[in-house]
Amino acid sequence: MMVVYFKVSGIIPFEQALEGMREMTKKTFKKKGDDVVNMNLALIDAAVDACQEVPVPATLDGVGCVDDVKLIPDNASDFAKKIIEPSMRQKGDDIPVSAMSNDGVIPTGTACLEKRGIAPRVPHWNSENCIQCGICASACPHAAIRTKLIEKENLKDAPKSFNTIPAKPALADEEFKVQVYCKDCTGCGVCVDQCPANKNPEKPALTWSSIEKEEEACELVNEKFFDELPDNVMGRNTTKTIKGAMLRKPLFEFSGACAGCGETPYVKLVSQLFGENMIVANATGCSSIYSGTFPTIPYTTNKEGRGPAWANSLFEDNAEFGFGMRLAVDQNRSTLKTYVEKVLSNEKTPADLKAALEEAISHFENSKTEEAHAAQDKAKEVLAKYKDVDCPDLAKVRELQDYFTDKSVWIIGGDGWANDIGYGGIDHVLAQNQDVNILVLDTEVYSNTGGQASKSTPTGAVAKFATGGKRTYKKNMGLMSMSYGYVYVASVALGADRAQTLKAFQEAEAYKGPSIIFAYAPCIAHGIDMSKTQTEQKRAVEAGYFPLYRYNPDNEVPFTWDAKDPKGSYQEFIRSEGRYKSLMKTNPEAAEALYTQAEEDAAKRMAVYKAVGELMR
Amino acid sequence: MMVVYFKVSGIIPFEQALEGMREMTKKTFKKKGDDVVNMNLALIDAAVDACQEVPVPATLDGVGCVDDVKLIPDNASDFAKKIIEPSMRQKGDDIPVSAMSNDGVIPTGTACLEKRGIAPRVPHWNSENCIQCGICASACPHAAIRTKLIEKENLKDAPKSFNTIPAKPALADEEFKVQVYCKDCTGCGVCVDQCPANKNPEKPALTWSSIEKEEEACELVNEKFFDELPDNVMGRNTTKTIKGAMLRKPLFEFSGACAGCGETPYVKLVSQLFGENMIVANATGCSSIYSGTFPTIPYTTNKEGRGPAWANSLFEDNAEFGFGMRLAVDQNRSTLKTYVEKVLSNEKTPADLKAALEEAISHFENSKTEEAHAAQDKAKEVLAKYKDVDCPDLAKVRELQDYFTDKSVWIIGGDGWANDIGYGGIDHVLAQNQDVNILVLDTEVYSNTGGQASKSTPTGAVAKFATGGKRTYKKNMGLMSMSYGYVYVASVALGADRAQTLKAFQEAEAYKGPSIIFAYAPCIAHGIDMSKTQTEQKRAVEAGYFPLYRYNPDNEVPFTWDAKDPKGSYQEFIRSEGRYKSLMKTNPEAAEALYTQAEEDAAKRMAVYKAVGELMR
């Protein structure tokens, strides 16, 4: 833009401006290395060559402009029409206050309305080469590539372009499909990088295409049909493998996270496993931004209308916020049970109502199964039938009927929240020994505010407030959490071991006390190739940089060390990431010393975790 | 009082009132056991017998009343006369706002003006039986019993009643003295309980007397003479033993803490070791109340005018508050050094000023020694001589001259602050790796607000919010602190091992990074005999209830386990304390289960500390 400005405006001689820009570029990017300097210089040259005049038409007639484009489908909700569409058209100032809800609650499932179409490239599914592993869907930060098992019967009205392959292991009458959502894809490339079939360049399952080409191939039509097919309810029984979990509809989709984000695949996975009965307390940070930037919400519901409820309080109180949700749910459930018992012991209660309530309450302790959901739905139906009966006990049951189902409380945030600003609260909540699940998306830095050091930043990493390389250790928050003895603790890295991540999430959910999971999440702040964020997780674990373990108080031997002995080089790993290698430019001597120390710290950390894990029984 | 009220008022038949009071007493104290019920019933009977009419005189003439009593000596400060004395006379409303300092700063060394004389009994020193160990002074919560070495020459004007004994090990011309401050004593009995000589009932060094008797024996005169004798400056070199440390003037004296307080002996010890150069950031809690209840302050100065500065911020930010003090001191010292160098390189600087500044700055890194203090005092003197010279650099040096001496920053508070409300801050401050010392006075309960459970309250203990016995473990805050690797951590119990406590305090001070000390402090909330609080510490350690250890990152082998293998019975110990045994009354079954679990928890804790300590190198 500067090149164009100086070329067009002629405010100073263009050659002089060009020289100045080149000097400034060298100075600005010096610390980031010659590669970055040269790329920026090349960009200046390219801009010089590419600059051309765009004639301004005399009138706007016939020029396609945003006002003419249909943004929201006709069957969208009132909220979408009255709030989201005007916001999209940058006419938010025209929305009357009265159009908003009184309590600030807004509907979920609306990020899908923002068909941004920003991807410079999108993946194309070559069905004949697909091995049906589900890794593409698991790795995608935006739920823009999905898998489904489809009963053949449901394919009878499929568009011609809708290709599927027979499901394997062969399920009678089931077809398997990978669907790309082209206009929701960011083109980050993580799926293409991760696809195991792609290792054979002759038979790749995912290749690059463009939105235009895919549109020509009717992918938008396919996507619509795919969307309307039944959710994989049987997936409830298939969440023991990543492949199975990926058949489930993500109840977190199309967020505005960065292309290649290392965090969102974890959030998506949680939503696929537990989203139907989930309440989320979200700390301030990237995850609060991509999960709740007004007016659209990436959290959504399945076809039964079940899905997560989500809220964000303050940076410093998120654990307590979620803890309050837990206590409220427990209190409401206990109250519901009391009133159901009152209604059941009332001789005037009609037989069908009695039967429905008895059935629903019989699933009280194990309330999230298919059968429980069916009984709960039935009870709600019968309760509605008697809604005009003047009985305060019955009214109370109806008021609290959503609590027939227990809720899964997830407290989510980044490492800055978990290690620093919200740590006092996390520690307090863990100590209370109640059933909450805490997910720490560990980018080892305050990502959302531009890369400030947190207590999770390791020795030697360069971050704001640690521009000379961090001088103190990465906080041992896993050890600190484990020290309570009754806290489930896990350290996971999806790209390194998907099965271990899945296991940790399921164990955390199953454990009837507090759980905390530290999930390694590569980030733009790391100075890495963002199409390889899942690969970077694998490298981190193999280099002995990030540990994989689980501490499950329910087990006789609670601690399991899940990582293999490091086979990669620690030094090679850290020196390949911008956040470390930039120190080599600015202070090579300090860099060497800190890198050595960093490796020692990591080794010591691993040894202590292993040993303490053994002890903590 | 109720007995007297009903007897005098006749509002209902007295026998009926008496019966009602007896019933209520039984009900109220049932949970505390038959002993407590019977003591209260006996009290009612005693009140019935003791009730007698006190005639009200026709006039107040000749009746001694508080207005006639001299409260403040003539040579007291303006602050004492204008603020403290009216406050003592309950005439605080008459003090004009203009009499207070603008910035809220008030002078230290004023608790000594409150000669309360509340002790129902005071210790009497039997010099002939004394072994000069200093334990009485170390155990006293109020600095009301002290020891001094006195040069014989200084005894020439001593009152006749001023008895001393030859110092042992024999120091030429030195005499040893134990001085009781009768009117500052609370009569708690801890000194008498702890005196080793008292184990031989035929030759006790401390026996009971009354204030009146001791006054007759001229102890108030002796006390005044003792006070005016030079401080044991040589004590600076004798702080390697408790005996030596106790020869130093306590720079924390006569606080309003409870009789028998388990906390104040630690605070007093810190003041004797480091008080001359100390700044204290105090958390809210007992220690903020007894250290700073307007208008008097127990922190005081020695004869050179050196002593602690003290402040209390909020409950939740005390660690950060102290951390700010550390940063401010470091910044001021660094600025001072820069300006001293400027003045030294200025050719116009007079030779004597140059010499004095050079000498003072030569002690910059080791600035708390006798020699350093002398050089600093000299520099201040010469700086004053040139105070009218118009030189901004010199003005800056004068402004910052107090920073020739480095400050020892102590961050003090209770376990509720440390484990709960202020923990996020403590964790953050420890992680910053700066030179601060944190002292946690661990009563295992929120003492000041009446005994609410904190995360330091162990399994099974009864406290508010845990009236059925605490169900979760005592937080492993020592382990959590140790997990940083660069934090000095110690767990101490003065009455169990005085030498270990002293060592921990000195190591913490010497360590040039963050230090945290957990100090076991028995409390009225424990339901124990408060004359035996130091003995209770010993019992706790011997029963394996409270650990003694030190983790010093400066050492090649950082961890030292200081406690012997438990020789007492854990069950016997906890069942002897009211906070545990009350559960036997209210819920004997739960009590048995929790007591067993408590013992298991403690054993596991000890094992983990030992093992982790070994690992953390």
Side-chain angles (χ1 to χ4, degrees):
Chain A
M1 289 308 295
M2 280 200 299
V3 169
V4 175
Y5 172 75
F6 283 112
K7 191 161 180 183
V8 174
S9 70
I11 202 164
I12 53 171
F14 184 57
E15 279 309 316
Q16 187 188 336
L18 215 49
E19 196 45 42
M21 283 185 280
R22 286 199 175 108
E23 281 311 305
M24 193 196 61
T25 297
K26 286 176 196 164
K27 201 174 153 191
T28 306
F29 296 108
K30 195 178 146 196
K31 288 185 183 173
K32 305 211 164 183
D34 292 345
D35 285 0
V36 175
V37 170
N38 291 336
M39 281 194 292
N40 275 279
L41 290 177
L43 191 68
I44 290 175
D45 294 341
V48 173
D49 295 342
C51 183
Q52 53 173 284
E53 191 177 346
V54 179
V56 177
T59 75
L60 284 175
D61 293 343
V63 180
C65 76
V66 76
D67 285 348
D68 303 326
V69 176
K70 190 176 177 73
L71 294 178
I72 297 283
D74 293 335
N75 64 352
S77 70
D78 249 26
F79 183 84
K81 287 176 183 161
K82 291 187 181 160
I83 309 283
I84 298 178
E85 188 171 6
S87 301
M88 282 178 173
R89 295 196 191 278
Q90 305 207 337
K91 292 193 171 156
D93 284 351
D94 298 342
I95 304 172
V97 170
S98 59
M100 274 297 294
S101 63
N102 295 336
D103 56 3
V105 171
I106 65 172
T108 58
T110 50
C112 60
L113 297 170
E114 294 182 319
K115 295 291 172 200
R116 299 189 293 165
I118 57 167
R121 56 179 185 177
V122 295
H124 174 84
W125 182 44
N126 305 300
S127 61
E128 66 282 11
N129 299 333
C130 180
I131 61 166
Q132 305 182 22
C133 62
I135 289 178
C136 54
S138 158
C140 175
H142 291 86
I145 185 164
R146 304 185 182 183
T147 58
K148 223 177 217 180
L149 284 183
I150 308 161
E151 290 183 34
K152 279 200 182 132
E153 187 195 283
N154 288 331
L155 286 171
K156 58 182 189 295
D157 298 327
K160 274 187 184 162
S161 54
F162 196 85
N163 60 334
T164 61
I165 52 175
K168 65 172 181 182
L171 290 167
D173 293 328
E174 298 261 72
E175 288 281 301
F176 178 83
K177 167 79 174 162
V178 170
Q179 179 64 51
V180 176
Y181 287 62
C182 302
K183 293 216 161 175
D184 300 293
C185 175
T186 66
C188 68
V190 173
C191 59
V192 174
D193 174 57
Q194 287 290 297
C195 174
N198 280 13
K199 282 185 185 154
N200 179 353
E202 317 231 316
K203 291 189 165 189
L206 290 174
T207 47
W208 285 118
S209 180
S210 69
I211 294 183
E212 293 74 17
K213 261 195 189 165
E214 296 302 293
E215 217 166 325
E216 270 170 40
C218 297
E219 277 304 319
L220 298 185
V221 177
N222 293 345
E223 170 193 321
K224 190 160 177 286
F225 184 78
F226 183 89
D227 236 22
E228 285 166 359
L229 285 167
D231 296 328
N232 278 142
V233 290
M234 55 80 76
R236 269 181 193 140
N237 302 318
T238 62
T239 46
K240 284 179 183 157
T241 61
I242 279 288
K243 176 182 170 164
M246 288 308 122
L247 297 170
R248 307 266 290 141
K249 178 178 178 182
L251 299 181
F252 173 82
E253 60 179 13
F254 313 141
S255 79
C258 298
C261 178
E263 296 188 354
T264 46
Y266 294 111
V267 180
K268 180 165 58 88
L269 179 59
V270 173
S271 85
Q272 287 169 300
L273 296 173
F274 320 115
E276 293 171 338
N277 311 295
M278 182 162 84
I279 311 183
V280 180
N282 210 118
T284 303
C286 283
S287 56
S288 73
I289 304 303
Y290 59 62
S291 298
T293 295
F294 187 85
T296 64
I297 302 285
Y299 283 99
T300 189
T301 55
N302 65 12
K303 290 205 168 51
E304 293 171 312
R306 298 186 195 270
W310 181 93
N312 159 233
S313 179
L314 302 176
F315 211 162
E316 62 271 30
D317 73 357
N318 187 51
E320 298 92 320
F321 187 46
F323 184 62
M325 293 174 177
R326 176 77 268 163
L327 299 185
V329 168
D330 290 348
Q331 185 57 49
N332 282 330
R333 296 198 83 217
S334 146
T335 307
L336 172 66
K337 201 176 177 193
T338 305
Y339 279 89
V340 167
E341 279 157 8
K342 280 190 185 184
V343 170
L344 289 177
S345 65
N346 186 333
E347 54 191 24
K348 289 185 197 156
T349 303
D352 60 341
L353 180 57
K354 224 171 194 165
L357 291 179
E358 266 168 1
E359 179 63 18
I361 210 79
S362 76
H363 295 280
F364 196 76
E365 294 307 325
N366 193 12
S367 64
K368 295 174 192 164
T369 62
E370 280 302 302
E371 300 70 35
H373 281 175
Q376 291 149 9
D377 289 346
K378 175 73 182 168
K380 287 181 193 178
E381 196 187 307
V382 184
L383 278 165
K385 180 176 158 193
Y386 292 104
K387 73 177 175 349
D388 295 327
V389 173
D390 181 24
C391 167
D393 293 346
L394 199 55
K396 197 80 192 168
V397 170
R398 210 161 38 236
E399 179 195 327
L400 296 171
Q401 63 185 5
D402 277 344
Y403 294 95
F404 276 117
T405 320
D406 194 7
K407 309 296 181 245
S408 168
V409 176
W410 283 77
I411 299 171
I412 300 180
D415 54 282
W417 161 68
N419 289 267
D420 299 351
I421 298 176
Y423 173 63
I426 291 187
D427 173 69
H428 195 66
V429 170
L430 291 180
Q432 302 316 308
N433 201 12
Q434 298 294 318
D435 189 12
V436 296
N437 305 306
I438 301 178
L439 174 60
V440 181
L441 301 160
D442 191 1
T443 62
E444 303 191 322
V445 79
Y446 285 81
S447 300
N448 190 52
T449 45
Q452 292 77 14
S454 82
K455 283 202 277 295
S456 178
T457 307
T459 312
V462 172
K464 283 167 190 159
F465 302 144
T467 46
K470 185 146 170 276
R471 303 295 161 122
T472 48
Y473 302 173
K474 180 181 170 99
K475 177 168 164 175
N476 279 305
M477 198 173 156
L479 189 68
M480 292 159 111
S481 307
M482 243 189 270
S483 75
Y484 280 102
Y486 51 78
V487 176
Y488 179 90
V489 186
S491 177
V492 306
L494 188 62
D497 190 340
R498 292 175 197 283
Q500 191 257 359
T501 302
L502 186 73
K503 210 169 196 176
F505 282 23
Q506 281 167 328
E507 287 177 348
E509 171 76 4
Y511 181 60
K512 294 287 162 230
S515 304
I516 187 163
I517 298 173
F518 301 92
Y520 187 53
C523 171
I524 49 165
H526 295 183
I528 54 171
D529 178 349
M530 290 300 284
S531 73
K532 300 206 159 55
T533 45
Q534 296 276 316
T535 301
E536 205 68 9
Q537 292 176 19
K538 191 161 186 274
R539 294 182 64 222
V541 171
E542 288 179 354
Y545 179 88
F546 197 87
L548 302 185
Y549 60 82
R550 288 168 295 126
Y551 176 84
N552 189 349
D554 274 348
N555 292 349
E556 206 181 326
V557 179
F559 189 79
T560 316
W561 184 257
D562 290 322
K564 298 197 178 78
D565 284 341
K567 63 180 184 184
S569 152
Y570 193 94
Q571 292 301 327
E572 206 176 283
F573 173 72
I574 64 172
R575 284 162 203 249
S576 73
E577 295 202 337
R579 58 176 165 159
Y580 286 95
K581 72 178 167 197
S582 63
L583 196 60
M584 293 292 287
K585 294 278 165 195
T586 54
N587 193 344
E589 261 179 64
E592 283 304 330
L594 284 170
Y595 292 177
T596 307
Q597 200 194 317
E599 185 168 1
E600 282 170 16
D601 291 355
K604 188 162 87 176
R605 172 187 309 272
M606 302 262 178
V608 169
Y609 271 85
K610 276 189 194 177
V612 173
E614 287 299 311
L615 282 164
M616 289 296 298
R617 294 192 183 180
Chain B
M1 288 310 293
M2 280 200 296
V3 169
V4 174
Y5 171 77
F6 283 112
K7 190 160 180 183
V8 174
S9 70
I11 201 163
I12 52 172
F14 184 57
E15 278 310 315
Q16 187 189 336
L18 213 51
E19 195 47 42
M21 282 185 281
R22 285 198 176 109
E23 279 313 303
M24 193 195 61
T25 297
K26 284 175 195 164
K27 200 173 154 191
T28 305
F29 297 108
K30 194 180 148 197
K31 289 185 184 176
K32 304 211 166 185
D34 292 345
D35 284 359
V36 175
V37 171
N38 292 335
M39 281 194 291
N40 276 278
L41 291 177
L43 192 66
I44 290 175
D45 294 340
V48 172
D49 296 342
C51 183
Q52 54 173 282
E53 191 177 346
V54 179
V56 177
T59 75
L60 285 174
D61 292 343
V63 180
C65 77
V66 74
D67 284 348
D68 304 326
V69 177
K70 190 177 178 69
L71 295 178
I72 298 284
D74 292 335
N75 64 352
S77 70
D78 248 26
F79 183 84
K81 285 174 183 163
K82 291 187 182 161
I83 309 283
I84 297 178
E85 188 172 5
S87 301
M88 283 178 174
R89 295 194 189 280
Q90 304 207 336
K91 292 195 171 155
D93 285 350
D94 298 343
I95 304 171
V97 170
S98 59
M100 274 296 294
S101 63
N102 295 336
D103 55 3
V105 171
I106 65 171
T108 58
T110 50
C112 62
L113 297 170
E114 295 183 316
K115 294 292 172 199
R116 299 189 294 166
I118 58 166
R121 55 181 186 177
V122 294
H124 173 84
W125 182 45
N126 304 300
S127 61
E128 66 281 13
N129 298 333
C130 180
I131 61 167
Q132 304 184 21
C133 63
I135 288 179
C136 53
S138 158
C140 176
H142 291 85
I145 185 164
R146 304 185 182 183
T147 58
K148 223 176 216 179
L149 284 182
I150 307 160
E151 289 182 35
K152 277 198 183 134
E153 188 195 282
N154 288 329
L155 285 171
K156 59 182 189 294
D157 299 327
K160 273 186 186 162
S161 54
F162 196 84
N163 58 335
T164 62
I165 54 176
K168 64 173 180 180
L171 291 166
D173 293 329
E174 299 260 73
E175 289 281 302
F176 178 84
K177 165 80 175 162
V178 170
Q179 179 65 51
V180 175
Y181 288 60
C182 302
K183 292 216 162 173
D184 300 294
C185 175
T186 66
C188 68
V190 173
C191 58
V192 174
D193 173 58
Q194 287 289 297
C195 174
N198 281 12
K199 283 186 184 153
N200 180 352
E202 317 234 314
K203 290 189 164 189
L206 289 174
T207 48
W208 286 117
S209 179
S210 68
I211 295 182
E212 293 73 16
K213 259 197 189 161
E214 295 304 292
E215 216 167 324
E216 269 170 41
C218 297
E219 276 305 318
L220 297 185
V221 177
N222 293 345
E223 170 194 320
K224 188 160 181 288
F225 183 77
F226 183 88
D227 236 22
E228 285 166 359
L229 284 167
D231 296 328
N232 279 142
V233 291
M234 55 79 76
R236 272 184 191 138
N237 301 319
T238 62
T239 48
K240 285 180 183 157
T241 61
I242 279 287
K243 176 181 170 165
M246 288 308 122
L247 296 171
R248 307 268 288 141
K249 179 178 176 180
L251 299 180
F252 174 82
E253 60 179 14
F254 314 141
S255 78
C258 298
C261 178
E263 296 189 354
T264 45
Y266 294 111
V267 180
K268 179 165 60 88
L269 178 58
V270 172
S271 85
Q272 286 168 300
L273 295 172
F274 320 115
E276 292 171 338
N277 310 295
M278 183 162 85
I279 311 183
V280 181
N282 210 118
T284 303
C286 284
S287 56
S288 73
I289 304 302
Y290 59 62
S291 297
T293 295
F294 187 85
T296 64
I297 302 285
Y299 284 98
T300 189
T301 55
N302 65 12
K303 290 206 167 51
E304 291 171 312
R306 298 187 195 271
W310 181 93
N312 159 233
S313 179
L314 302 176
F315 211 162
E316 63 271 30
D317 74 356
N318 187 51
E320 298 92 318
F321 186 48
F323 185 61
M325 293 175 178
R326 175 76 268 161
L327 299 185
V329 168
D330 290 348
Q331 185 57 50
N332 282 330
R333 296 199 83 216
S334 148
T335 307
L336 171 66
K337 200 176 178 193
T338 305
Y339 280 89
V340 166
E341 278 157 10
K342 281 190 185 185
V343 170
L344 288 177
S345 65
N346 185 332
E347 55 190 26
K348 288 185 198 157
T349 302
D352 60 341
L353 180 57
K354 226 171 194 166
L357 290 178
E358 268 168 1
E359 179 63 19
I361 210 78
S362 75
H363 295 281
F364 195 76
E365 294 307 326
N366 194 12
S367 65
K368 295 173 191 164
T369 61
E370 279 302 302
E371 301 70 35
H373 281 175
Q376 291 150 9
D377 289 346
K378 175 71 183 170
K380 287 182 191 176
E381 194 187 310
V382 184
L383 278 165
K385 179 177 157 192
Y386 292 105
K387 74 176 177 341
D388 295 327
V389 174
D390 182 23
C391 167
D393 293 345
L394 200 55
K396 197 79 192 168
V397 169
R398 212 163 36 237
E399 179 195 328
L400 296 171
Q401 63 184 6
D402 276 345
Y403 293 96
F404 276 117
T405 319
D406 193 7
K407 308 296 181 245
S408 169
V409 176
W410 283 77
I411 299 172
I412 300 179
D415 54 283
W417 161 68
N419 289 269
D420 300 350
I421 298 176
Y423 173 63
I426 291 187
D427 174 68
H428 195 67
V429 169
L430 291 179
Q432 303 315 308
N433 202 10
Q434 299 293 318
D435 190 11
V436 296
N437 305 306
I438 301 179
L439 174 60
V440 181
L441 302 160
D442 192 0
T443 62
E444 305 191 320
V445 79
Y446 285 81
S447 300
N448 190 53
T449 45
Q452 291 79 13
S454 83
K455 284 203 276 298
S456 178
T457 307
T459 312
V462 172
K464 283 167 191 161
F465 302 143
T467 46
K470 185 147 171 273
R471 302 294 160 122
T472 49
Y473 302 173
K474 181 181 170 99
K475 177 167 167 177
N476 279 304
M477 198 174 158
L479 189 68
M480 293 160 111
S481 307
M482 245 190 268
S483 76
Y484 280 102
Y486 51 79
V487 175
Y488 179 92
V489 186
S491 178
V492 306
L494 189 62
D497 190 339
R498 291 175 196 283
Q500 191 256 0
T501 302
L502 186 73
K503 210 168 193 175
F505 282 24
Q506 280 167 329
E507 286 176 349
E509 170 77 1
Y511 181 60
K512 292 290 163 227
S515 304
I516 187 162
I517 298 172
F518 300 92
Y520 186 53
C523 170
I524 49 165
H526 294 184
I528 54 171
D529 178 350
M530 291 299 284
S531 73
K532 300 207 159 54
T533 45
Q534 297 276 316
T535 300
E536 204 68 8
Q537 293 178 18
K538 191 163 186 271
R539 294 182 65 221
V541 171
E542 287 179 353
Y545 179 89
F546 197 87
L548 302 185
Y549 61 82
R550 287 168 295 126
Y551 177 82
N552 189 348
D554 274 347
N555 292 350
E556 206 180 327
V557 179
F559 189 80
T560 315
W561 184 257
D562 290 323
K564 297 196 180 79
D565 284 341
K567 64 179 183 185
S569 152
Y570 193 94
Q571 292 300 328
E572 205 175 283
F573 173 71
I574 64 172
R575 284 162 203 251
S576 74
E577 293 202 338
R579 57 175 165 160
Y580 287 96
K581 73 178 167 198
S582 62
L583 195 60
M584 293 293 287
K585 294 279 165 195
T586 55
N587 192 344
E589 261 179 62
E592 283 304 330
L594 284 169
Y595 292 178
T596 306
Q597 199 195 317
E599 184 166 2
E600 282 170 17
D601 291 354
K604 187 161 88 176
R605 172 187 310 271
M606 302 262 179
V608 168
Y609 271 86
K610 275 189 192 175
V612 173
E614 287 299 311
L615 282 164
M616 290 294 300
R617 294 192 183 181

